[in-house]
Amino acid sequence: ILMMIFKMINNYIYYIVAIIIVYFLTIFVFSFSFYSPIGAMTRMGSWPEVFFWGKAKQPSVKILENGNSDSEIIVLGDSFSNRNIWQSYLQANNKFNIQTYHLSDAGCLDNWLRHILKNKDQKNKYIILEVVEQSFLPLLRTLNKCKQKIIPSPLSFKKETLYPDRPQKGNLVLDLRYIINTLFNFTRINSKQKNISFGNVNNVKINNGQLFSNIKSERMLYLSSENEKIKWKKKEVISVIKRIKIIQNDFKKVGLNLILLIIPDKSTQYSKYIEKHDYKPINIFNMLSEERVEFIDLYKKFEIEIKNTKDFYLPNDNHLSFKGYMILSNIINSSLRNLD
């Protein structure tokens, strides 16, 4: 009996050792072939980084410190502003002083707007409300409905030089679940499916392989949540736009320009290149223009730029590339100069 027990134990040990060897061999091969994910879309959707990291040359950016309350420009933004990239370009090249807040540190929108009006400095001139397109209605429908009273905290940035992310061979990926999902998606991406969704990320076929510089440039990744705009009601959007106009007029009375800066969703900006793109959400850029709201129409300007700039949006992410942010800062500068 003891011999049988020892034999069973030995067999189990062999099995465990074999599993461990296979596991680490898989990790080794995976990490050298697919890379550790560096983009939000490749990470969230478990798509092979090797297929989607952009190879186009990108500039570095010198990040500047956040400005003070007496800055000429005050920004409230989301993840497109929280690294101080476009603001640093704008500040360095056009001598603006800029102070930035993040939405998560501002309380509700009404609270932040009240704070800006209450603490207005004579040097303040432009108040920029930056929001990504898919968050336009969820965020702005709360206007005039919040009585929260907290003191918003501006972001803190240190002076540093940022360089474009590049995948490194041999950065071990230990998450077995991610490895399995990525290997599964590796087989799907080579199928004939035009639209694939996994991990809150859509992988769609596009009809222009010159827009991105990654290996699979005939496909594009974007957040599935961008499709939620199809549920928006035109009546509610119009109501929100009218409230924005009233608030902009209130700011003008005290010498401030409140400007909307809406970053188009990746799927919106590249919509005409997506094959089998059946849904058509409300075009808020046209509606804002028709209602004469003070905003910077990035959609029309980006439409020209994406044809001439590979990786204007990052292939492996839902954000702009450094080139994209540089162009964004130039557009903002021109728009502000035109207001003068």
Side-chain angles (χ1 to χ4, degrees), residues 2 46 52 107 113 146 152 183 186 210 259 292 294 305 338:
L2 285 173
S46 297
F52 289 101
L113 292 171
C146 175
L183 290 173
F186 172 72
Q210 300 302 311
I259 303 163
R292 304 197 178 192
E294 202 142 320
E305 297 296 341
N338 287 337

Side-chain angles (χ1 to χ4, degrees), residues 92-229:
N93 297 327
N94 302 287
K95 309 305 179 186
F96 284 118
N97 289 318
I98 306 171
Q99 184 183 49
T100 302
Y101 293 78
H102 189 268
L103 285 163
S104 62
D105 303 317
C108 66
L109 193 51
D110 288 327
N111 177 76
W112 185 80
L113 292 171
R114 285 193 295 266
H115 171 79
I116 295 300
L117 287 173
K118 183 178 179 182
N119 297 279
K120 175 185 175 295
D121 187 272
Q122 62 180 0
K123 292 182 181 179
N124 297 158
K125 192 172 183 181
Y126 306 108
I127 311 301
I128 296 179
L129 177 56
E130 178 273 308
V131 59
V132 69
E133 180 189 357
Q134 63 178 297
S135 297
F136 173 81
L137 189 58
L139 175 68
L140 296 175
R141 63 161 50 115
T142 65
L143 279 172
N144 297 337
K145 295 182 180 180
C146 175
K147 297 182 179 180
Q148 186 182 40
K149 291 182 180 180
I150 65 170
I151 298 175
S153 301
L155 289 167
S156 177
F157 305 113
K158 64 177 182 178
K159 283 188 175 182
E160 60 178 330
T161 301
L162 293 183
Y163 297 93
D165 287 330
R166 290 286 184 263
Q168 301 294 321
K169 286 186 177 182
N171 282 359
L172 295 182
V173 182
L174 301 176
D175 186 345
L176 185 59
R177 184 169 145 189
Y178 173 80
I179 291 173
I180 292 170
N181 288 338
T182 304
L183 290 173
F184 171 63
N185 281 336
F186 172 72
T187 62
R188 298 174 77 196
I189 201 174
N190 289 299
S191 70
K192 293 182 179 180
Q193 296 181 68
K194 290 189 176 181
N195 295 350
I196 310 169
S197 182
F198 192 89
N200 296 320
V201 175
N202 281 16
N203 183 325
V204 294
K205 190 168 178 56
I206 57 177
N207 58 25
N208 187 338
Q210 300 302 311
L211 301 172
F212 300 104
S213 66
N214 55 302
I215 292 174
K216 289 287 185 182
S217 61
E218 77 282 3
R219 303 198 69 93
M220 186 182 79
L221 305 178
Y222 71 90
L223 279 171
S224 302
S225 56
E226 295 178 17
N227 292 343
E228 292 296 306
K229 299 191 298 291

Side-chain angles (χ1 to χ4, degrees), residues 251-265:
F251 270 67
K252 279 184 179 178
K253 290 174 184 176
V254 294
L256 295 174
N257 291 293
L258 176 61
I259 303 163
L260 277 182
L261 182 70
I262 302 171
I263 310 291
D265 288 338

Side-chain angles (χ1 to χ4, degrees), residues 295-308:
F295 81 110
I296 300 174
D297 192 347
L298 295 179
Y299 176 75
K300 289 181 180 177
K301 293 178 171 64
F302 281 8
E303 193 170 26
I304 298 168
E305 297 296 341
I306 63 174
K307 295 176 185 176
N308 304 318

